[in-house]
Amino acid sequence: MLIDTCQIRADQVAKFHNTIRVFGWFHHPTEALAGIGVEAPGLLGVTSAVGLAHGGVATLGPNKGFSVQFLLTTDQFPPGATLEFTTTSGRSCRAGLAELAAEALA
């Protein structure tokens, strides 16, 4: 998925009860990923990691991988949930969780 000049791809979107985990990669031509935020109904907590090794996109540069996991108050897939990717310069790219999941399935 291309948002502005940010390329975002979820390789895995997994749901287990009221926990969702997303693993994928992020690329911007001149900036690195600094963090990931989540907005979702019933959000209780988020943990994320950026700058992970991701062999599938090594030609784009090193450490493009990310993972984010979050806990919800319900075991339903959160409608309208979004992930916000922030770069080292403060650029922000928002992606819908449902769209990332659909792209991963395609």
Side-chain angles (χ1 to χ4, degrees), residues 43-83:
L43 183 66
L44 292 173
V46 178
T47 184
S48 64
V50 300
L52 305 175
H54 193 295
V57 292
T59 57
L60 296 175
N63 306 322
K64 298 288 184 178
F66 71 83
S67 72
V68 61
Q69 183 169 317
F70 52 100
L71 183 65
L72 302 167
T73 57
T74 178
D75 65 353
Q76 302 299 312
F77 193 86
T82 59
L83 275 61

Side-chain angles (χ1 to χ4, degrees), residues 4-99:
D4 296 325
T5 53
C6 302
Q7 288 180 283
I8 303 165
R9 175 71 179 198
D11 296 321
Q12 177 189 72
V13 178
K15 181 188 162 305
F16 183 72
H17 297 288
N18 60 337
T19 301
I20 295 180
R21 181 177 187 274
V22 182
F23 174 77
W25 57 270
F26 174 94
H27 173 70
H28 184 275
T30 60
E31 301 174 35
L33 182 60
I36 304 172
V38 176
E39 288 186 21
L43 183 66
L44 292 173
V46 178
T47 184
S48 64
V50 300
L52 305 175
H54 193 295
V57 292
T59 57
L60 296 175
N63 306 322
K64 298 288 184 178
F66 71 83
S67 72
V68 61
Q69 183 169 317
F70 52 100
L71 183 65
L72 302 167
T73 57
T74 178
D75 65 353
Q76 302 299 312
F77 193 86
T82 59
L83 275 61
E84 183 173 15
F85 298 84
T86 305
T87 67
T88 50
S89 75
R91 178 188 308 270
S92 177
C93 301
R94 297 173 64 89
L97 179 61
E99 289 80 14

